[in-house]
Amino acid sequence: VARASRAGNELCADPSGACAQRLTKSASLVPLLQPVTRLPARCARLLLVTEDGEDNEARSFVRHIEQTSRGAVPVEVLSSQLCRGACALSTLTHSDLVVAGMSSFAYLAAVLAQNSSIVAFGPLLGEETEGSGHWRLRQEQSGRPKASVVTTAAALEQALRAKLQPKCWPRSRA
């Protein structure tokens, strides 16, 4: 699983506010990624590709995944110091699941991802509903198979069940 995260600490650095339009808050991805956090150990590894691994948004996202998965889904932060442009793009495009928000870089990775990859688009700022016109348009523009693009936890779980081995889907996780 790979997720591109824009540095939230720099949210207001652009006086035009353009960066605010491209930030997907980590908290908005919590409902979408519930199926990933329920996976047992060794079924998934999450790579967080970000400009700044110490950014509040990055730390919040890592903390959430580690807590809700109870440590079963290890998280590795690939900051721009460890993984620059080509490395970051390659990491995202070669993952089984690409989690993309509003940044152009994340969207580019979603478009270029392997056809066997699942692409999960996070909600737009202020929009928590499934099937928004924005994501339908992006899916159509990307040329990706419709079944490989998800915007809800239920659709993500269904796509993961089709892709992962049965051992990754326990009946319950108490």
Side-chain angles (χ1 to χ4, degrees), residues 3-8 11 19-30 32 55 57-58 61 99-103 106 121-125 128 135:
R3 187 243 197 275
S5 175
R6 188 168 183 80
L11 180 59
C19 61
Q21 300 300 316
R22 294 188 312 264
L23 177 72
T24 301
K25 295 287 227 174
S26 294
S28 70
L29 294 171
V30 169
L32 176 66
D55 174 72
E57 282 297 311
F61 186 75
V99 181
M102 287 298 299
S103 80
F121 285 120
L124 300 171
L125 282 175
E128 305 298 325
W135 292 129

Side-chain angles (χ1 to χ4, degrees), residues 2 7 12 15 26 28 50 68 73 78 85 87 101 104 119 147 172 174:
C12 297
S26 294
S28 70
T50 185
T68 56
V73 178
L78 300 176
C87 168
S104 298
V119 175
S172 67

